[in-house]
Short mmCIF file of all heavy atoms in Angstrom, two decimals:
data_model
loop_
_atom_site.label_atom_id
_atom_site.label_comp_id
_atom_site.label_asym_id
_atom_site.label_seq_id
_atom_site.Cartn_x
_atom_site.Cartn_y
_atom_site.Cartn_z
N MET A 1 94.21 109.41 61.83
CA MET A 1 94.20 109.31 63.26
C MET A 1 95.58 109.78 63.78
O MET A 1 96.59 109.34 63.24
CB MET A 1 93.99 107.90 63.68
CG MET A 1 93.10 107.71 64.83
SD MET A 1 92.82 105.97 65.36
CE MET A 1 92.08 105.19 64.01
N SER A 2 95.57 110.69 64.72
CA SER A 2 96.86 111.18 65.25
C SER A 2 97.51 110.19 66.20
O SER A 2 96.81 109.35 66.76
CB SER A 2 96.64 112.52 65.94
OG SER A 2 95.98 112.32 67.16
N ILE A 3 98.79 110.35 66.38
CA ILE A 3 99.51 109.45 67.29
C ILE A 3 99.02 109.63 68.71
O ILE A 3 98.85 108.65 69.48
CB ILE A 3 101.02 109.79 67.23
CG1 ILE A 3 101.62 109.32 65.93
CG2 ILE A 3 101.77 109.09 68.37
CD1 ILE A 3 103.03 109.60 65.68
N ARG A 4 98.65 110.86 69.06
CA ARG A 4 98.17 111.13 70.42
C ARG A 4 96.86 110.39 70.68
O ARG A 4 96.69 109.81 71.77
CB ARG A 4 97.93 112.63 70.59
CG ARG A 4 97.50 112.97 71.99
CD ARG A 4 97.43 114.44 72.17
NE ARG A 4 97.16 114.71 73.61
CZ ARG A 4 96.52 115.77 74.04
NH1 ARG A 4 96.19 116.72 73.20
NH2 ARG A 4 96.23 115.91 75.31
N TYR A 5 95.93 110.41 69.72
CA TYR A 5 94.67 109.70 69.87
C TYR A 5 94.90 108.23 70.02
O TYR A 5 94.31 107.52 70.89
CB TYR A 5 93.75 109.95 68.69
CG TYR A 5 92.49 109.14 68.72
CD1 TYR A 5 91.46 109.43 69.59
CD2 TYR A 5 92.36 108.01 67.91
CE1 TYR A 5 90.31 108.65 69.63
CE2 TYR A 5 91.22 107.25 67.96
CZ TYR A 5 90.21 107.56 68.77
OH TYR A 5 89.07 106.80 68.82
N VAL A 6 95.79 107.64 69.23
CA VAL A 6 96.10 106.21 69.29
C VAL A 6 96.69 105.87 70.63
O VAL A 6 96.34 104.86 71.26
CB VAL A 6 97.05 105.79 68.12
CG1 VAL A 6 97.47 104.37 68.29
CG2 VAL A 6 96.35 106.01 66.79
N ALA A 7 97.60 106.71 71.16
CA ALA A 7 98.22 106.46 72.46
C ALA A 7 97.18 106.54 73.56
O ALA A 7 97.25 105.72 74.49
CB ALA A 7 99.34 107.51 72.68
N ILE A 8 96.26 107.46 73.46
CA ILE A 8 95.23 107.55 74.50
C ILE A 8 94.32 106.30 74.47
O ILE A 8 94.00 105.78 75.55
CB ILE A 8 94.37 108.84 74.30
CG1 ILE A 8 95.17 110.09 74.61
CG2 ILE A 8 93.10 108.79 75.09
CD1 ILE A 8 94.55 111.39 74.22
N GLU A 9 93.94 105.85 73.30
CA GLU A 9 93.15 104.65 73.20
C GLU A 9 93.88 103.43 73.69
O GLU A 9 93.29 102.56 74.32
CB GLU A 9 92.69 104.45 71.72
CG GLU A 9 91.64 105.42 71.27
CD GLU A 9 90.36 105.37 72.14
OE1 GLU A 9 89.83 104.23 72.31
OE2 GLU A 9 89.94 106.39 72.65
N LEU A 10 95.18 103.36 73.41
CA LEU A 10 95.99 102.24 73.89
C LEU A 10 96.03 102.25 75.43
O LEU A 10 95.84 101.19 76.09
CB LEU A 10 97.39 102.37 73.35
CG LEU A 10 98.39 101.26 73.76
CD1 LEU A 10 97.89 99.88 73.34
CD2 LEU A 10 99.77 101.54 73.16
N TYR A 11 96.21 103.42 76.02
CA TYR A 11 96.18 103.53 77.49
C TYR A 11 94.84 103.14 78.07
O TYR A 11 94.74 102.42 79.07
CB TYR A 11 96.47 105.02 77.88
CG TYR A 11 96.49 105.23 79.37
CD1 TYR A 11 97.59 104.82 80.14
CD2 TYR A 11 95.45 105.86 79.97
CE1 TYR A 11 97.57 105.02 81.52
CE2 TYR A 11 95.42 106.10 81.35
CZ TYR A 11 96.52 105.65 82.10
OH TYR A 11 96.50 105.87 83.46
N ARG A 12 93.73 103.54 77.38
CA ARG A 12 92.40 103.16 77.86
C ARG A 12 92.22 101.68 77.80
O ARG A 12 91.66 101.07 78.74
CB ARG A 12 91.37 103.85 76.94
CG ARG A 12 89.91 103.60 77.39
CD ARG A 12 88.89 104.13 76.36
NE ARG A 12 89.08 103.54 75.03
CZ ARG A 12 88.64 102.31 74.70
NH1 ARG A 12 88.04 101.54 75.55
NH2 ARG A 12 88.82 101.82 73.49
N CYS A 13 92.72 101.06 76.75
CA CYS A 13 92.61 99.58 76.66
C CYS A 13 93.42 98.89 77.76
O CYS A 13 92.95 97.88 78.31
CB CYS A 13 93.10 99.13 75.29
SG CYS A 13 91.98 99.52 73.96
N GLU A 14 94.56 99.42 78.02
CA GLU A 14 95.42 98.81 79.09
C GLU A 14 94.69 98.90 80.46
O GLU A 14 94.69 97.90 81.21
CB GLU A 14 96.76 99.55 79.20
CG GLU A 14 97.72 99.25 78.03
CD GLU A 14 98.32 97.88 78.05
OE1 GLU A 14 98.22 97.18 79.06
OE2 GLU A 14 98.88 97.52 77.00
N LYS A 15 94.09 100.01 80.74
CA LYS A 15 93.33 100.18 81.99
C LYS A 15 92.16 99.23 82.08
O LYS A 15 91.84 98.65 83.12
CB LYS A 15 92.86 101.62 82.16
CG LYS A 15 93.92 102.60 82.49
CD LYS A 15 94.48 102.22 83.88
CE LYS A 15 95.52 103.20 84.33
NZ LYS A 15 96.08 102.90 85.63
N LYS A 16 91.47 99.05 80.91
CA LYS A 16 90.29 98.17 80.89
C LYS A 16 90.75 96.76 81.13
O LYS A 16 90.06 95.99 81.84
CB LYS A 16 89.59 98.28 79.50
CG LYS A 16 88.36 97.47 79.41
CD LYS A 16 87.65 97.70 78.06
CE LYS A 16 86.40 96.90 77.97
NZ LYS A 16 85.71 97.14 76.68
N ILE A 17 91.86 96.34 80.56
CA ILE A 17 92.39 94.99 80.73
C ILE A 17 92.76 94.74 82.20
O ILE A 17 92.41 93.71 82.79
CB ILE A 17 93.62 94.70 79.81
CG1 ILE A 17 93.15 94.59 78.40
CG2 ILE A 17 94.39 93.47 80.27
CD1 ILE A 17 94.25 94.55 77.37
N GLN A 18 93.39 95.71 82.87
CA GLN A 18 93.74 95.60 84.28
C GLN A 18 92.47 95.43 85.10
O GLN A 18 92.39 94.58 86.00
CB GLN A 18 94.52 96.80 84.71
CG GLN A 18 95.92 96.88 84.17
CD GLN A 18 96.63 98.11 84.61
OE1 GLN A 18 96.08 99.01 85.24
NE2 GLN A 18 97.88 98.26 84.17
N GLU A 19 91.46 96.25 84.78
CA GLU A 19 90.21 96.17 85.57
C GLU A 19 89.51 94.84 85.40
O GLU A 19 89.05 94.23 86.34
CB GLU A 19 89.28 97.30 85.06
CG GLU A 19 87.92 97.34 85.71
CD GLU A 19 87.03 98.36 85.08
OE1 GLU A 19 87.49 99.50 84.81
OE2 GLU A 19 85.88 98.04 84.82
N LEU A 20 89.45 94.34 84.17
CA LEU A 20 88.85 93.03 83.93
C LEU A 20 89.61 91.86 84.57
O LEU A 20 89.00 90.94 85.11
CB LEU A 20 88.73 92.79 82.40
CG LEU A 20 87.72 93.63 81.65
CD1 LEU A 20 87.86 93.47 80.17
CD2 LEU A 20 86.29 93.31 82.12
N GLU A 21 90.94 91.94 84.58
CA GLU A 21 91.74 90.91 85.23
C GLU A 21 91.50 90.92 86.72
O GLU A 21 91.46 89.86 87.34
CB GLU A 21 93.21 91.12 84.90
CG GLU A 21 93.57 90.69 83.47
CD GLU A 21 94.98 90.98 83.07
OE1 GLU A 21 95.67 91.80 83.76
OE2 GLU A 21 95.42 90.43 82.07
N LYS A 22 91.38 92.11 87.33
CA LYS A 22 91.02 92.21 88.75
C LYS A 22 89.69 91.57 89.04
O LYS A 22 89.51 90.82 90.04
CB LYS A 22 91.10 93.61 89.23
CG LYS A 22 92.44 94.19 89.42
CD LYS A 22 92.44 95.62 89.95
CE LYS A 22 93.79 96.21 89.97
NZ LYS A 22 93.75 97.64 90.40
N LYS A 23 88.70 91.90 88.26
CA LYS A 23 87.36 91.32 88.44
C LYS A 23 87.37 89.82 88.27
O LYS A 23 86.74 89.09 89.06
CB LYS A 23 86.38 91.91 87.41
CG LYS A 23 85.96 93.32 87.71
CD LYS A 23 84.94 93.78 86.63
CE LYS A 23 84.49 95.22 86.88
NZ LYS A 23 83.56 95.66 85.85
N LEU A 24 88.10 89.31 87.31
CA LEU A 24 88.24 87.91 87.07
C LEU A 24 88.90 87.21 88.24
O LEU A 24 88.46 86.10 88.66
CB LEU A 24 89.01 87.64 85.78
CG LEU A 24 88.86 86.31 85.12
CD1 LEU A 24 87.35 86.03 84.77
CD2 LEU A 24 89.65 86.24 83.85
N ALA A 25 89.93 87.79 88.79
CA ALA A 25 90.62 87.18 89.93
C ALA A 25 89.76 87.20 91.18
O ALA A 25 89.88 86.29 92.01
CB ALA A 25 91.94 87.93 90.19
N ALA A 26 88.87 88.15 91.31
CA ALA A 26 88.02 88.27 92.50
C ALA A 26 86.78 87.36 92.43
O ALA A 26 86.08 87.18 93.45
CB ALA A 26 87.58 89.71 92.70
N LEU A 27 86.49 86.78 91.27
CA LEU A 27 85.32 85.91 91.12
C LEU A 27 85.50 84.63 91.87
O LEU A 27 86.55 84.07 92.00
CB LEU A 27 85.09 85.57 89.66
CG LEU A 27 84.27 86.55 88.83
CD1 LEU A 27 84.09 86.01 87.43
CD2 LEU A 27 82.92 86.82 89.43
N LYS A 28 84.37 84.19 92.40
CA LYS A 28 84.33 82.89 93.09
C LYS A 28 84.19 81.78 92.06
O LYS A 28 83.68 81.97 90.98
CB LYS A 28 83.18 82.83 94.06
CG LYS A 28 83.28 83.87 95.16
CD LYS A 28 82.18 83.74 96.16
CE LYS A 28 82.43 84.87 97.24
NZ LYS A 28 81.52 84.80 98.28
N PRO A 29 84.73 80.62 92.38
CA PRO A 29 84.70 79.50 91.38
C PRO A 29 83.32 79.09 90.92
O PRO A 29 83.17 78.59 89.79
CB PRO A 29 85.36 78.32 92.15
CG PRO A 29 86.12 78.98 93.26
CD PRO A 29 85.41 80.25 93.59
N GLU A 30 82.33 79.28 91.71
CA GLU A 30 80.97 78.84 91.30
C GLU A 30 80.27 79.84 90.34
O GLU A 30 79.17 79.55 89.86
CB GLU A 30 80.06 78.60 92.53
CG GLU A 30 79.96 79.76 93.49
CD GLU A 30 81.02 79.71 94.60
OE1 GLU A 30 81.81 78.78 94.66
OE2 GLU A 30 81.03 80.66 95.38
N ALA A 31 80.87 80.98 90.04
CA ALA A 31 80.28 81.95 89.13
C ALA A 31 80.78 81.68 87.68
O ALA A 31 81.44 82.52 87.07
CB ALA A 31 80.66 83.35 89.54
N ALA A 32 80.45 80.50 87.18
CA ALA A 32 80.98 80.08 85.84
C ALA A 32 80.43 80.98 84.70
O ALA A 32 81.17 81.31 83.77
CB ALA A 32 80.60 78.66 85.59
N ALA A 33 79.15 81.29 84.76
CA ALA A 33 78.56 82.11 83.68
C ALA A 33 79.20 83.51 83.62
O ALA A 33 79.50 84.04 82.55
CB ALA A 33 77.06 82.24 83.85
N GLU A 34 79.33 84.09 84.77
CA GLU A 34 79.95 85.44 84.84
C GLU A 34 81.45 85.38 84.41
O GLU A 34 81.92 86.29 83.78
CB GLU A 34 79.83 85.98 86.28
CG GLU A 34 80.10 87.46 86.39
CD GLU A 34 79.83 88.01 87.73
OE1 GLU A 34 79.13 87.43 88.54
OE2 GLU A 34 80.36 89.12 88.02
N ARG A 35 82.12 84.30 84.82
CA ARG A 35 83.53 84.12 84.43
C ARG A 35 83.63 84.05 82.94
O ARG A 35 84.55 84.67 82.37
CB ARG A 35 84.11 82.89 85.09
CG ARG A 35 85.53 82.57 84.73
CD ARG A 35 86.12 81.41 85.47
NE ARG A 35 86.20 81.61 86.88
CZ ARG A 35 87.14 82.33 87.54
NH1 ARG A 35 88.06 82.90 86.83
NH2 ARG A 35 87.10 82.45 88.87
N ALA A 36 82.77 83.29 82.30
CA ALA A 36 82.83 83.18 80.83
C ALA A 36 82.60 84.51 80.15
O ALA A 36 83.31 84.82 79.18
CB ALA A 36 81.79 82.14 80.38
N ALA A 37 81.68 85.26 80.66
CA ALA A 37 81.44 86.64 80.05
C ALA A 37 82.61 87.52 80.25
O ALA A 37 82.99 88.30 79.31
CB ALA A 37 80.18 87.27 80.69
N LEU A 38 83.22 87.50 81.45
CA LEU A 38 84.44 88.34 81.68
C LEU A 38 85.59 87.89 80.81
O LEU A 38 86.35 88.74 80.34
CB LEU A 38 84.80 88.29 83.15
CG LEU A 38 84.07 89.22 84.10
CD1 LEU A 38 84.45 88.99 85.54
CD2 LEU A 38 84.23 90.70 83.74
N GLU A 39 85.73 86.59 80.64
CA GLU A 39 86.85 86.14 79.78
C GLU A 39 86.65 86.52 78.36
O GLU A 39 87.61 86.87 77.67
CB GLU A 39 86.99 84.61 79.95
CG GLU A 39 87.58 84.16 81.24
CD GLU A 39 87.62 82.67 81.42
OE1 GLU A 39 86.92 81.91 80.63
OE2 GLU A 39 88.30 82.21 82.37
N ALA A 40 85.42 86.49 77.86
CA ALA A 40 85.14 86.94 76.51
C ALA A 40 85.40 88.42 76.36
O ALA A 40 86.05 88.84 75.34
CB ALA A 40 83.68 86.64 76.14
N GLU A 41 85.03 89.20 77.34
CA GLU A 41 85.29 90.66 77.31
C GLU A 41 86.77 90.92 77.40
O GLU A 41 87.30 91.85 76.69
CB GLU A 41 84.54 91.32 78.46
CG GLU A 41 84.51 92.82 78.31
CD GLU A 41 83.64 93.49 79.42
OE1 GLU A 41 82.92 92.74 80.15
OE2 GLU A 41 83.74 94.70 79.54
N LEU A 42 87.47 90.16 78.16
CA LEU A 42 88.94 90.32 78.30
C LEU A 42 89.64 89.98 76.97
O LEU A 42 90.56 90.65 76.57
CB LEU A 42 89.47 89.43 79.45
CG LEU A 42 90.92 89.53 79.80
CD1 LEU A 42 91.29 90.96 80.22
CD2 LEU A 42 91.30 88.53 80.84
N PHE A 43 89.16 88.91 76.33
CA PHE A 43 89.73 88.51 75.05
C PHE A 43 89.56 89.68 74.05
O PHE A 43 90.46 89.99 73.27
CB PHE A 43 89.07 87.24 74.56
CG PHE A 43 89.50 86.81 73.17
CD1 PHE A 43 90.76 86.21 73.02
CD2 PHE A 43 88.72 87.01 72.05
CE1 PHE A 43 91.21 85.83 71.77
CE2 PHE A 43 89.14 86.63 70.80
CZ PHE A 43 90.42 86.01 70.65
N GLN A 44 88.35 90.27 74.02
CA GLN A 44 88.07 91.37 73.08
C GLN A 44 88.97 92.57 73.39
O GLN A 44 89.43 93.24 72.50
CB GLN A 44 86.62 91.73 73.13
CG GLN A 44 86.17 92.66 72.07
CD GLN A 44 86.29 92.07 70.68
OE1 GLN A 44 86.08 90.87 70.50
NE2 GLN A 44 86.60 92.84 69.72
N ALA A 45 89.14 92.86 74.71
CA ALA A 45 90.01 93.98 75.10
C ALA A 45 91.46 93.75 74.69
O ALA A 45 92.13 94.70 74.24
CB ALA A 45 89.88 94.16 76.60
N HIS A 46 91.91 92.48 74.77
CA HIS A 46 93.29 92.19 74.33
C HIS A 46 93.42 92.40 72.82
O HIS A 46 94.45 92.97 72.35
CB HIS A 46 93.65 90.76 74.66
CG HIS A 46 94.12 90.57 76.06
ND1 HIS A 46 95.37 90.97 76.47
CD2 HIS A 46 93.54 90.02 77.14
CE1 HIS A 46 95.56 90.68 77.74
NE2 HIS A 46 94.44 90.07 78.17
N LYS A 47 92.43 92.01 72.06
CA LYS A 47 92.43 92.24 70.61
C LYS A 47 92.51 93.70 70.28
O LYS A 47 93.26 94.14 69.38
CB LYS A 47 91.22 91.57 69.95
CG LYS A 47 91.35 90.11 69.70
CD LYS A 47 90.11 89.48 69.07
CE LYS A 47 89.81 90.17 67.74
NZ LYS A 47 88.65 89.57 67.06
N GLU A 48 91.64 94.50 70.98
CA GLU A 48 91.59 95.91 70.76
C GLU A 48 92.92 96.58 71.12
O GLU A 48 93.44 97.41 70.39
CB GLU A 48 90.45 96.53 71.58
CG GLU A 48 90.16 97.98 71.21
CD GLU A 48 88.92 98.44 72.00
OE1 GLU A 48 88.22 97.65 72.65
OE2 GLU A 48 88.72 99.67 71.96
N ARG A 49 93.55 96.14 72.22
CA ARG A 49 94.86 96.70 72.66
C ARG A 49 95.90 96.38 71.65
O ARG A 49 96.69 97.25 71.28
CB ARG A 49 95.23 96.10 73.99
CG ARG A 49 96.59 96.67 74.48
CD ARG A 49 97.35 95.82 75.37
NE ARG A 49 97.52 94.49 74.85
CZ ARG A 49 97.89 93.48 75.57
NH1 ARG A 49 98.03 93.61 76.90
NH2 ARG A 49 98.07 92.28 75.04
N ASP A 50 95.92 95.11 71.14
CA ASP A 50 96.90 94.76 70.11
C ASP A 50 96.75 95.57 68.85
O ASP A 50 97.71 95.91 68.19
CB ASP A 50 96.80 93.24 69.84
CG ASP A 50 97.20 92.38 71.01
OD1 ASP A 50 97.82 92.93 71.93
OD2 ASP A 50 96.82 91.19 71.01
N HIS A 51 95.49 95.86 68.49
CA HIS A 51 95.21 96.67 67.29
C HIS A 51 95.80 98.06 67.47
O HIS A 51 96.51 98.54 66.60
CB HIS A 51 93.73 96.75 67.08
CG HIS A 51 93.34 97.73 66.01
ND1 HIS A 51 93.53 97.53 64.68
CD2 HIS A 51 92.75 98.93 66.15
CE1 HIS A 51 93.08 98.57 64.01
NE2 HIS A 51 92.59 99.46 64.88
N PHE A 52 95.53 98.70 68.59
CA PHE A 52 96.05 100.06 68.79
C PHE A 52 97.57 100.06 68.95
O PHE A 52 98.24 100.99 68.54
CB PHE A 52 95.38 100.71 70.00
CG PHE A 52 93.97 101.22 69.71
CD1 PHE A 52 92.88 100.65 70.30
CD2 PHE A 52 93.80 102.21 68.76
CE1 PHE A 52 91.65 101.07 69.99
CE2 PHE A 52 92.55 102.69 68.48
CZ PHE A 52 91.44 102.11 69.06
N LYS A 53 98.12 99.00 69.54
CA LYS A 53 99.58 98.92 69.65
C LYS A 53 100.24 98.84 68.29
O LYS A 53 101.25 99.50 68.02
CB LYS A 53 99.95 97.69 70.50
CG LYS A 53 101.40 97.70 70.98
CD LYS A 53 101.72 96.49 71.84
CE LYS A 53 101.28 96.78 73.28
NZ LYS A 53 101.75 95.71 74.20
N ALA A 54 99.63 98.07 67.41
CA ALA A 54 100.16 97.90 66.05
C ALA A 54 100.01 99.25 65.29
O ALA A 54 100.91 99.65 64.56
CB ALA A 54 99.43 96.83 65.27
N LEU A 55 98.88 99.94 65.49
CA LEU A 55 98.72 101.26 64.85
C LEU A 55 99.77 102.25 65.31
O LEU A 55 100.34 103.00 64.52
CB LEU A 55 97.33 101.85 65.21
CG LEU A 55 96.17 101.49 64.28
CD1 LEU A 55 94.88 102.11 64.83
CD2 LEU A 55 96.38 102.00 62.88
N LEU A 56 100.04 102.26 66.62
CA LEU A 56 101.01 103.18 67.15
C LEU A 56 102.41 102.89 66.64
O LEU A 56 103.12 103.80 66.22
CB LEU A 56 100.98 103.09 68.73
CG LEU A 56 101.81 104.12 69.39
CD1 LEU A 56 101.31 105.54 69.12
CD2 LEU A 56 101.76 103.92 70.92
N GLU A 57 102.74 101.61 66.53
CA GLU A 57 104.07 101.25 66.01
C GLU A 57 104.18 101.63 64.53
O GLU A 57 105.22 102.08 64.07
CB GLU A 57 104.30 99.77 66.11
CG GLU A 57 104.63 99.30 67.54
CD GLU A 57 105.85 99.95 68.11
OE1 GLU A 57 106.88 100.05 67.40
OE2 GLU A 57 105.82 100.40 69.30
N ALA A 58 103.10 101.52 63.80
CA ALA A 58 103.09 101.85 62.36
C ALA A 58 103.24 103.40 62.14
O ALA A 58 103.80 103.82 61.17
CB ALA A 58 101.85 101.38 61.67
N LYS A 59 102.75 104.15 63.12
CA LYS A 59 102.73 105.62 62.94
C LYS A 59 104.07 106.22 63.38
O LYS A 59 104.37 107.38 63.02
CB LYS A 59 101.65 106.27 63.78
CG LYS A 59 100.25 105.99 63.17
CD LYS A 59 99.40 107.19 63.42
CE LYS A 59 98.08 107.02 62.70
NZ LYS A 59 98.01 107.86 61.53
N LYS A 60 104.86 105.49 64.13
CA LYS A 60 106.15 106.00 64.56
C LYS A 60 107.05 106.14 63.38
O LYS A 60 107.06 105.31 62.45
CB LYS A 60 106.80 105.05 65.56
CG LYS A 60 106.18 105.09 66.92
CD LYS A 60 106.93 104.14 67.84
CE LYS A 60 106.36 104.04 69.20
NZ LYS A 60 107.10 103.07 70.02
N GLU A 61 107.90 107.16 63.37
CA GLU A 61 108.81 107.37 62.29
C GLU A 61 110.08 106.52 62.58
O GLU A 61 110.47 106.40 63.71
CB GLU A 61 109.22 108.84 62.21
CG GLU A 61 108.07 109.73 61.77
CD GLU A 61 108.51 111.19 61.65
OE1 GLU A 61 109.68 111.49 61.73
OE2 GLU A 61 107.60 112.03 61.50
N PRO A 62 110.64 105.95 61.55
CA PRO A 62 111.86 105.18 61.75
C PRO A 62 113.04 106.11 62.19
O PRO A 62 113.05 107.27 61.80
CB PRO A 62 112.13 104.53 60.43
CG PRO A 62 111.37 105.38 59.42
CD PRO A 62 110.25 105.96 60.16
N PRO A 63 113.98 105.56 62.94
CA PRO A 63 115.08 106.42 63.35
C PRO A 63 115.93 106.82 62.19
O PRO A 63 116.04 106.11 61.19
CB PRO A 63 115.87 105.55 64.35
CG PRO A 63 115.44 104.17 64.04
CD PRO A 63 114.04 104.26 63.45
N LEU A 64 116.52 108.02 62.32
CA LEU A 64 117.41 108.50 61.23
C LEU A 64 118.74 107.73 61.22
O LEU A 64 119.30 107.44 62.29
CB LEU A 64 117.65 109.96 61.37
CG LEU A 64 116.41 110.90 61.26
CD1 LEU A 64 116.79 112.30 61.62
CD2 LEU A 64 115.86 110.80 59.86
N PRO A 65 119.26 107.46 60.03
CA PRO A 65 120.53 106.76 60.01
C PRO A 65 121.68 107.73 60.45
O PRO A 65 121.62 108.91 60.18
CB PRO A 65 120.70 106.36 58.58
CG PRO A 65 119.80 107.25 57.82
CD PRO A 65 118.72 107.66 58.75
N ILE A 66 122.68 107.16 61.03
CA ILE A 66 123.80 107.97 61.54
C ILE A 66 124.88 108.18 60.49
O ILE A 66 125.17 107.38 59.69
CB ILE A 66 124.36 107.38 62.79
CG1 ILE A 66 123.31 107.43 63.89
CG2 ILE A 66 125.63 108.13 63.27
CD1 ILE A 66 123.70 106.81 65.21
#
């Protein structure tokens, strides 16, 4: 997997998380079932983002010593 692909996927995950957080904030308190589904999807998106962030960090080359 190239660094560019990992970075694109990381960006996609960040956007998805922002979208889900906006939806969650806009929900009314009485929508408990929908809130639970959005929270589960948000949790999964956070896991996916963390995965791609770790992949990106692993693919970076260490800095050269001076």
Side-chain angles (χ1 to χ4, degrees):
M1 219 182 299
S2 72
I3 290 178
R4 183 174 185 208
Y5 173 76
V6 174
I8 290 170
E9 288 300 309
L10 180 59
Y11 179 76
R12 183 188 59 79
C13 288
E14 290 287 346
K15 287 295 185 181
K16 184 176 181 180
I17 288 171
Q18 289 175 359
E19 177 186 316
L20 289 171
E21 286 174 343
K22 283 181 186 177
K23 284 182 182 179
L24 199 58
L27 273 183
K28 296 185 180 183
E30 54 271 356
E34 194 174 342
R35 177 175 298 280
L38 278 175
E39 286 175 347
E41 193 175 348
L42 184 60
F43 178 76
Q44 190 64 33
H46 276 287
K47 279 181 56 176
E48 192 175 348
R49 182 206 53 197
D50 294 344
H51 170 73
F52 283 114
K53 194 179 276 189
L55 271 177
L56 189 61
E57 286 299 318
K59 288 214 173 256
K60 287 182 182 177
E61 293 181 9
L64 296 173
I66 296 178

